[in-house]
Amino acid sequence: MTENYFFPIGFILLCFCCQTTIAQVLDAELLEVNFKPNGNPEALTRSSNGFYFTSEDDQLWLSDGTVEGTSRIKDFDTGNYNGVMALTALDDKVFFSAKENNISDYQLWRSDGSEAGTFALTNRNVPNSQDDTITQIVAFNGLIFFGAYDETMGNELWVTDGTPEGTAVFKDLVSGASGGFPRDFFVFNNQLFFEADTEEFGQELWVSDGTPEGTALFKDINPGAGNGMWYSEDYIIYGDNFYFFADNGIQGLELWKSDGTPNGTVLVKDIKPGIEGSAITLEGGVLNGQLIFAAEDGTHGKELWTSDGTEVGTNLVKDINPGLPHGLTYN
């Protein structure tokens, strides 16, 4: 049975829809729903039947935007921080990682908003030496892809159609039990991009068309076993390209862009000359037809930069804290 809970402290939830660009536009109206103290509702995830969210870190909820239509689906009863995480919607369903009653490893779950339609898709037995969390989940071509540990193949790329029998390792990127550790999934031009680590190429950018045979290394940015994407995180779609930080082994982690083809994947600008690099995470968005992001050039500290996608059009916006001190803080 699903249950409705209304407690003394008010909390404002947002019904929202997000565009596929990093600059998200919120179509918001206010809905006041009451929770008990420290309910900590978070991870609001829009679906076709409303939005899913977590409360107290180990409860899954669904709301259709009304108080009467807001109910708890399942209490995983772990008492742990992040007992339920990585919510990813596909149509009217949500996929997520959860541990139940602290008696099992994290598994991939799915829910259609009902108690009967909420169940685990995996049944993994992860040894203590391995990380059992599943934090990388993405919807692509009507399926759900995720990275997770497998007892035989290590941490590899998985896929599910929403049924236990349709949930399995999608591709063994690295033969044997070590695994390719796929992460940072994102979709661009109907292709699934992600990072993976192999002995031959190091940690680089990979791509998939949704088939195992169409899943391969996208570009060896740092040739050979060097790591082109070792510390890099996050991507921003701007215009006809996606932007990210990468290391070619010469200039350190710097701003790159890609049109979705290997030949169209190029360095935009060496912002901080030398091997140190100007940033790791691409923090920013798109504003007034420009890419806005944080970087440091070795002279001004971490400050606000802008780019139109060209080397000459990539420049410091303002030295907020003059000189070497950072104008922007590190997360």
Side-chain angles (χ1 to χ4, degrees):
M1 295 286 292
T2 57
E3 302 176 50
N4 294 312
Y5 286 81
F6 307 109
F7 292 95
I9 292 182
F11 185 83
I12 295 176
L13 297 178
L14 298 177
C15 297
F16 60 91
C17 58
C18 299
Q19 294 184 346
T20 55
T21 62
I22 196 71
Q24 296 179 335
V25 178
L26 301 183
D27 178 15
E29 62 182 71
L30 299 181
L31 167 66
E32 187 173 3
V33 178
N34 296 316
F35 291 91
K36 67 181 180 180
N38 300 318
N40 295 323
E42 57 187 1
L44 279 71
T45 304
R46 181 67 182 266
S47 63
S48 63
N49 57 341
F51 60 91
Y52 294 87
F53 62 98
T54 64
S55 178
E56 298 185 15
D57 292 316
D58 62 358
Q59 297 178 7
L60 180 68
W61 290 64
L62 173 66
S63 175
D64 64 1
T66 67
V67 173
E68 297 78 13
T70 301
S71 58
R72 190 179 71 183
I73 303 168
K74 183 175 175 63
D75 186 353
F76 287 83
D77 197 26
T78 65
N80 291 345
Y81 174 70
N82 279 344
V84 177
M85 56 185 174
L87 274 64
T88 303
L90 178 61
D91 300 326
D92 64 344
K93 299 177 180 62
V94 68
F95 296 78
F96 56 96
S97 173
K99 177 181 287 191
E100 190 171 21
N101 301 320
N102 282 328
I103 60 174
S104 67
D105 296 309
Y106 278 96
Q107 307 294 344
L108 185 75
W109 287 68
R110 59 140 269 187
S111 176
D112 63 3
S114 69
E115 185 177 16
T118 302
F119 49 84
L121 297 172
T122 58
N123 184 23
R124 304 176 309 130
N125 182 18
V126 183
N128 292 334
S129 61
Q130 297 290 333
D131 184 359
D132 71 336
T133 58
I134 301 173
T135 59
Q136 304 286 327
I137 306 173
V138 65
F140 175 60
N141 279 359
L143 300 170
I144 292 291
F145 291 82
F146 60 103
Y149 178 82
D150 173 78
E151 295 91 328
T152 303
M153 292 177 273
N155 198 303
E156 290 292 1
L157 181 62
W158 289 59
V159 69
T160 182
D161 62 3
T163 66
E165 57 272 18
T167 304
V169 172
F170 178 71
K171 180 154 184 169
D172 189 10
L173 304 174
V174 177
S175 298
S178 58
F181 290 87
R183 67 181 185 91
D184 279 359
F185 299 109
F186 73 102
V187 177
F188 178 76
N189 284 356
N190 201 34
Q191 298 182 100
L192 176 63
F193 289 86
F194 60 95
E195 297 172 26
D197 189 1
T198 66
E199 184 175 351
E200 182 179 3
F201 299 112
Q203 187 159 319
E204 295 288 355
L205 199 57
W206 284 60
V207 67
S208 177
D209 63 3
T211 66
E213 58 274 13
T215 302
L217 177 72
F218 176 65
K219 183 168 181 129
D220 192 9
I221 294 174
N222 191 340
N227 299 303
M229 307 292 292
W230 185 247
Y231 293 107
S232 179
E233 293 182 352
D234 294 337
Y235 303 84
I236 294 177
I237 297 174
Y238 163 50
D240 297 327
N241 295 272
F242 65 85
Y243 290 74
F244 59 101
F245 280 94
D247 182 0
N248 61 8
I250 300 173
Q251 289 144 318
L253 282 160
E254 293 293 350
L255 184 65
W256 284 62
K257 69 177 181 180
S258 175
D259 63 3
T261 67
N263 289 337
T265 303
V266 297
L267 175 70
V268 176
K269 184 167 184 170
D270 186 6
I271 295 172
K272 185 177 182 179
I275 195 64
E276 287 187 7
S278 59
I280 296 174
T281 300
L282 184 53
E283 302 172 82
V286 178
L287 179 66
N288 295 334
Q290 295 278 308
L291 176 67
I292 307 293
F293 63 100
E296 57 175 300
D297 60 5
T299 303
H300 299 98
K302 184 182 180 183
E303 299 288 356
L304 198 62
W305 284 69
T306 184
S307 178
D308 63 2
T310 67
E311 181 178 10
V312 69
T314 303
N315 299 289
L316 178 70
V317 174
K318 184 178 178 69
D319 190 8
I320 297 171
N321 193 349
L324 279 174
H326 303 304
L328 301 176
T329 59
Y330 280 93
N331 293 329

